[in-house]
Amino acid sequence: MTLLAVHNLSIARGTVPVLEGVSLSLAAGRAMVLRGPNGIGKTTLLRCIAGLQPALEGVIEAAPDAIAYAAHADGIKATLTVAENLEFWAAIFGTKGIDHALDAMNLRDLRDRRGANLSAGQKRRLGLARMLVAGRPVWAMDEPTVSLDAASVALFAAAVLGHLAQGGAALIATHIDLGLQAQVLDLTPYRAKAPQDGGRRGAFDEAFT
């Protein structure tokens, strides 16, 4: 069963086109890794698929509320504890229970620690644990292993494998080998044609990832 399909998608960062004609299909139990140089539009593509910005053209097909998005920001409330953060997100997504998320990302011993008192890696693990309480079949994730040590990367990869085994799907922008049997989509061939502006767009893009 196809959980996500993208047809001939063209997207822009601000007013600057970055990708043209992107098509992909993601079935239940499958993962896809997005690759390409910095500035090519991986983040913009994920934001568009997640419904956070409109496409210039093309079609995105997914069931309503099918996609959970993990961006560069961890989305943590500093004054809440680890458990309270996850309970907050479970309430937002309309799901129940956080124990599986605490265990999957090795957060149980930190459940009563406030977000403000977590290390960068612990915050990242908590941010990723949100995906486990989302209850949504498609995970769209932007460089999810930033700030994670090798052991935490392994925990995250295991969580993704568990999600796939339960019929979910994952679309991940990463340069790290997560050990997944994933299709790789290089976005380089979809780079938008350079505008007739003396090359200024390339310099603009380099400020983004």
Side-chain angles (χ1 to χ4, degrees), residues 134-208:
R136 296 188 173 181
V138 180
W139 290 1
M141 293 174 283
D142 193 1
E143 300 292 349
T145 60
V146 171
S147 301
L148 295 184
D149 58 20
S152 296
V153 170
L155 287 175
F156 167 69
V160 174
L161 285 171
H163 179 63
L164 301 179
Q166 294 173 8
L171 182 64
I172 310 171
T174 182
H175 296 284
I176 302 297
D177 183 3
L178 297 172
L180 304 174
Q181 292 185 343
Q183 180 181 353
V184 176
L185 178 62
D186 184 355
L187 295 177
T188 304
Y190 302 100
R191 190 193 299 267
K193 297 180 178 63
Q196 302 301 312
D197 62 357
R200 290 192 297 274
R201 192 194 74 181
F204 178 85
D205 281 357
E206 286 305 312
F208 295 84

Side-chain angles (χ1 to χ4, degrees), residues 1 15 47 50 68 169 196:
M1 179 178 63
T15 61
R47 285 178 53 82
Q196 302 301 312

Side-chain angles (χ1 to χ4, degrees), residues 48-96:
C48 186
I49 289 173
L52 298 178
Q53 67 179 72
L56 295 176
E57 61 181 42
V59 176
I60 300 169
E61 296 178 350
D65 296 326
I67 301 171
Y69 176 53
H72 291 163
D74 295 318
I76 293 171
K77 294 186 177 295
T79 59
L80 299 184
T81 66
V82 167
E84 288 169 344
N85 267 281
L86 288 177
E87 288 166 351
F88 170 82
W89 283 106
I92 291 293
F93 287 117
T95 61
K96 295 182 179 180

